[in-house]
């Protein structure tokens, strides 16, 4: 693991509202950092991590506002951060917008792709909705007879105002 891994994990936890433990439990954190480097390049990844490390202290109103303005509201970093959120939740890197590539240059690896078969299975969306990925992690015979249990979800971020 590199010195960039901890800030990446912290940023990912902040953006997804899942704990370090949950993110590490997917087994995909290092792969997702490598994906970010591959698609947007080390310079932009480093800029995103630097913006995260410069945020005000955790659990403060100033931090929430800073995430919105410094990262999500940033012309360069906002689309990348949103793509990272989608990556964690779905296991898929979604191609950055044409407006982003026109402004900051095309990236050969910036295409929509599933990172790995495990990425689909370990997508945070399954945990968030209290379900299991279709075709994987079956709960056994008859489990369909019971409604899903949606876990309690608390976060300092207000997801309605992230976009």
């Amino acid at each position: 693991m590199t010195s960039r891994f901890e800030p990446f994990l912290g940023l990912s936890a902040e953006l997804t509202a899942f704990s370090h433990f949950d993110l590490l439990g997917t087994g995909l954190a290092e792969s997702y950092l490598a994906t970010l480097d591959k698609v947007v390049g080390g310079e932009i990844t480093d800029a995103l991590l630097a913006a995260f490390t410069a945020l005000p202290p955790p659990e403060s109103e100033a931090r929430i506002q800073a995430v919105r303005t410094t990262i999500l509201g940033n012309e360069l970093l906002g689309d990348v951060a949103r793509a990272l959120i989608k990556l964690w939740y779905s296991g898929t890197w979604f191609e950055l917008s044409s407006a982003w590539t026109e402004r900051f240059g095309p990236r050969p690896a910036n295409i929509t792709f599933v990172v790995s078969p495990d990425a689909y299975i370990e997508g945070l969306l399954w945990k968030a909705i209290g379900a299991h990925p279709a075709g994987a992690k079956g709960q056994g015979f008859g489990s369909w007879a019971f409604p899903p249990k949606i876990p309690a979800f608390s976060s300092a971020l207000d997801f309605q105002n992230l976009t």
Side-chain angles (χ1 to χ4, degrees), residues 8-64:
F8 174 76
L9 196 58
L11 170 68
S12 296
E14 192 96 26
L15 293 175
T16 64
F18 276 87
S19 70
H20 286 78
F21 179 80
D22 288 327
L23 298 179
L24 288 171
T26 67
L28 295 164
E30 290 181 44
S31 177
Y32 286 172
L33 176 56
T35 298
L36 199 57
D37 279 337
K38 175 181 135 186
V39 175
V40 299
E43 273 186 34
I44 293 174
T45 300
D46 288 342
L48 181 60
L49 298 177
F52 170 72
T53 12
L55 291 174
E59 299 183 27
S60 70
E61 194 61 38
R63 185 178 184 95
I64 294 168

Side-chain angles (χ1 to χ4, degrees), residues 14-17 61 63-65 67-68 72 85 153-163:
E14 192 96 26
L15 293 175
T16 64
E61 194 61 38
R63 185 178 184 95
I64 294 168
Q65 191 58 37
V67 168
R68 289 181 182 150
L72 295 170
I85 294 168
F153 192 73
S154 64
S155 167
L157 290 177
D158 178 2
F159 283 100
Q160 294 175 349
N161 296 314
L162 286 181
T163 56

Side-chain angles (χ1 to χ4, degrees), residues 74-110:
N74 182 288
E75 204 171 35
L76 172 66
L77 305 177
D79 285 351
V80 175
R82 281 185 284 282
L84 181 60
I85 294 168
K86 291 186 272 187
L87 177 62
W88 275 107
Y89 273 85
S90 68
T92 302
W93 176 269
F94 290 93
E95 182 178 357
L96 295 168
S97 71
S98 57
W100 190 92
T101 55
E102 286 171 14
R103 177 132 179 112
F104 302 108
R107 305 286 194 262
N110 182 30

